[in-house]
Structure formats: C-alpha cells, structure tokens
Amino acid sequence: MLAASFKLLLNAKRVNSLARLKSTLVIAEHNNEVLSLITCNTLSAAKQIGGDITVLVAGTKCDAVAKAISNANGVNKVLYANSEAFKGFTPETLTPLILAMHDQNKYSHILAGASAFGKSLLPRVAAKLDVSPVSDIIGIKGPDTFIRTIYAGNAIQTIKVKDNVKVVSVRGTSFEPLPLEGGNATCELVPPSDYKTNLVEFIKQEISKSDRPELTSAKVVVSGGRGLKSGENFKLLYSLADKLNAAVGASRAAVDAGYVPNDLQVGQTGKIVAPDLYIAVGISGAIQHLAGMKDSKTIVAINKDPEAPIFQVADYGLVEDLFKAVPEFTDKLK
C-alpha cells in the first residue's frame, strides 16, 4: 500500500514538473495599431497546450498593441520590441529577435497564426532551430500531439512531435478567439539591438481599402467563381455583399482568370474562412476551394449545373443561372 502511494506521488510530481516546463511564445500579428484576430485564435490554442504564455509584439510603434494583448486572460507576459528594422514585418528581421528571446527563455512551443505572416516566418524560425515545423493545425491532443488536415482536407493527420521545441502555425478558424479582457500581464520592453539585415529591404506596402469586412473574419462571405465570366460581373456580388454586410471572396479559377485580385482567393492556396454564412456563386466546387470554406456553418450554392461538386457540401442549393438568381436575391433584401 505504501509502495503504491509512493508511486502515485512520484507520478504526480512528474506531471507537475512537465507542466512547469511547458512555456509558449506566441508571435503577435498586427499593423502597429490593431492586433489581428488570428493572434487571438492562436492564444486559445496556446491555452490548450498549457503552461506559461508569453506574447512577442514586434513593430515600429507597437506599444498600444502590447497593452491591448496584456489584457487577455491567460497571458503571463508581453514582450514588445520597437525598431525601424521591423518595418514591413519581414521574416528576415523578425527571426533573429525570436531566436534571441528563445535563447533567453527556452520556450517549449513557438506559435503563430497560419496566415501569410505566420507561414513566411515560422519555417525560417524552425530551420534556424533545426526542428520540423508543424503547419496549419486544427486541433491539439496534448503538448506534443497535434491534428492537421492533409490532401486538401480529405484526410486528418495526427502528429506527435519529438523535437524539444515545437514550432506550430495555427488555423484560426479552428479555435475560438481569446477575448482581450480579464487578464493583467506584465509588459516588458525588449532592449534595443541591431536586427537589420542585408538580405531584404522593405520598400513599401500598398493595402487595398474597403468598407466591407475583412475576408478571414467576416460572418458572411459571398464568393464568385469562373461562372461570373468577367471581373465586370463581380459587381453583382459587390451589390449583394453590401446588402448583407458581407466580405467578397473568389475561387482560384476566378483569380487566375484575372477577374479579381488574389487577396480575395479562398481555398487551400488562398485564405481559409469559416463564416456563419458562405454563399458560393458560379463556383463548381473544386477540391482546392472546398478546403478553404467547408467549415462554414451554413453554405449556400448557386450554380446552373446540378452536378457541380459544390452541391455535395452545400446546406442549401439553387440550380439556376446566377445572372438571373443573384439580382433577384439582391432585390429582395432590404
């Protein structure tokens, strides 16, 4: 009886020791003024892993972002670095900073959102640490076990990572965003250092402006495909989106045809969305596109081809010519 009790005590101590060893560094994505929603999703994933959570905010004048994220419940510390070297948020300048923070604190996990920012940054960090990155996870089974999709979402893969440092990108649509409230983390300014690089030079950034919601965070998304036949015809979707206060997306076929810019592309090689309502107009439903939107809560498809694959995932389908259906749909909305 005494031996069994002693064994239980040792196991409990081992579990507590492992819990203390877990520490996660979350790389914040922002524009120096506002935190990106996908970072809040990533914080939820970090909380599931357990242990201490530190957030790294790097930019030119990012004090307000650091202050905002310090309010998130579960965040223990916020490190923020202000430097002109981080202008443009290039991976070549951010990686040395992340490695320096890791050398000081020996994190067990390094996380970022699976956005263009995270996808360009984390592979470089992983290569410098000589570990294998785990990309686009949709679930967490344990501190070293993650779930992700493969084959354009047709199969689910569970991965157990043996590296001492787990470098992971998080699919935002698979984790509820952590509210920026209820916490009181300490904010520490990272001492200035030379993070400039000769590998790249940031020239400028042109950001398209729109009154519509941002595609990856919108509750309603209206997407168009090759069936619209031209970029001019996308005005049909813009009118519908304005009535629904929706974001506008597109299939890869529409983007490749030059109808709309590639920042509207939804799919495996575009943006992953999971709105409350997804309306697919003139989209056949290629596997690449389905991988980026099939987690939407309600999917409506409008296509004149009754055999289109999009109808296999749609909750509601309308077999009709979009040039007749969409204007009628728009007119009936107040």
Side-chain angles (χ1 to χ4, degrees):
M1 188 72 177
L2 183 61
S5 299
F6 183 66
K7 187 175 181 180
L8 285 172
L9 181 61
L10 283 177
N11 287 336
K13 285 185 175 180
R14 188 177 294 114
V15 170
N16 290 334
S17 177
L18 287 172
R20 285 196 299 271
L21 288 173
K22 285 185 294 185
S23 59
T24 301
L25 178 67
V26 175
I27 313 302
E29 182 176 349
H30 60 94
N31 63 358
N32 286 314
E33 297 175 359
V34 180
L35 186 71
S36 297
L37 180 63
I38 196 168
T39 300
C40 297
N41 304 116
T42 305
L43 287 173
S44 290
K47 286 193 73 172
Q48 287 189 31
I49 291 171
D52 291 341
I53 299 174
T54 300
V55 181
L56 177 60
V57 182
T60 49
K61 295 179 181 179
C62 55
D63 305 59
V65 177
K67 179 60 179 174
I69 205 167
S70 69
N71 295 322
N73 186 21
V75 174
N76 301 94
K77 183 189 294 184
V78 177
L79 301 172
Y80 65 102
N82 286 315
S83 172
E84 285 299 313
F86 303 132
K87 194 173 182 180
F89 309 106
T90 60
E92 290 81 2
T93 54
L94 290 173
T95 298
L97 172 65
I98 296 169
L99 295 177
M101 297 302 98
H102 175 68
D103 286 342
Q104 291 178 19
N105 302 287
K106 305 300 180 186
Y107 299 105
S108 59
H109 298 74
I110 298 176
L111 270 59
S115 59
F117 170 79
K119 289 176 180 178
S120 62
L121 175 62
L122 290 190
R124 177 177 288 270
V125 172
K128 290 291 187 180
L129 292 173
D130 195 24
V131 299
S132 298
V134 182
S135 60
D136 211 13
I137 66 164
I138 61 171
I140 298 169
K141 280 194 168 183
D144 60 353
T145 308
F146 308 97
I147 304 169
R148 63 188 294 264
T149 59
I150 57 175
Y151 303 126
N154 283 305
I156 304 296
Q157 183 181 58
T158 301
I159 301 173
K160 186 167 185 176
V161 183
K162 295 184 177 180
D163 292 316
N164 291 331
V165 185
K166 285 75 174 171
V167 179
V168 181
S169 65
V170 177
R171 180 177 293 190
T173 56
S174 298
F175 297 87
E176 288 295 322
L178 188 70
L180 300 180
E181 57 186 28
N184 188 26
T186 59
C187 291
E188 294 183 11
L189 180 64
V190 176
S193 185
D194 185 12
Y195 294 108
K196 290 183 180 178
T197 176
N198 295 324
L199 297 176
V200 298
E201 181 184 357
F202 178 76
I203 305 297
K204 67 176 181 177
Q205 178 174 290
E206 295 182 5
I207 302 176
S208 57
K209 295 182 179 180
S210 174
D211 294 331
R212 300 186 187 94
E214 204 276 324
L215 184 56
T216 55
S217 60
K219 293 185 180 298
V220 181
V221 174
V222 179
S223 281
R226 186 158 39 196
L228 281 155
K229 297 181 180 179
S230 73
E232 182 73 16
N233 289 331
F234 260 78
K235 290 181 179 178
L236 294 172
L237 300 194
Y238 297 146
S239 298
L240 177 58
D242 290 341
K243 288 283 188 75
L244 294 170
N245 190 30
V248 174
S251 68
R252 178 171 179 172
V255 171
D256 288 348
Y259 299 167
V260 290
N262 60 9
D263 61 333
L264 298 187
Q265 183 177 327
V266 173
Q268 186 181 17
T269 54
K271 294 179 179 177
I272 307 294
V273 300
D276 294 336
L277 174 62
Y278 187 88
I279 303 175
V281 180
I283 295 175
S284 63
I287 190 172
Q288 189 272 348
H289 185 76
L290 297 183
M293 47 65 73
K294 66 181 181 181
D295 290 332
S296 303
K297 293 180 176 63
T298 302
I299 300 173
V300 176
I302 301 173
N303 199 300
K304 65 181 181 181
D305 179 9
E307 303 299 322
I310 190 70
F311 289 121
Q312 296 177 13
V313 299
D315 298 287
Y316 301 95
L318 175 62
V319 180
E320 182 60 270
D321 186 339
L322 70 88
F323 295 104
K324 176 184 177 182
V326 174
E328 186 175 342
F329 184 14
T330 305
D331 289 341
K332 289 185 180 295
L333 293 171
K334 294 183 180 180

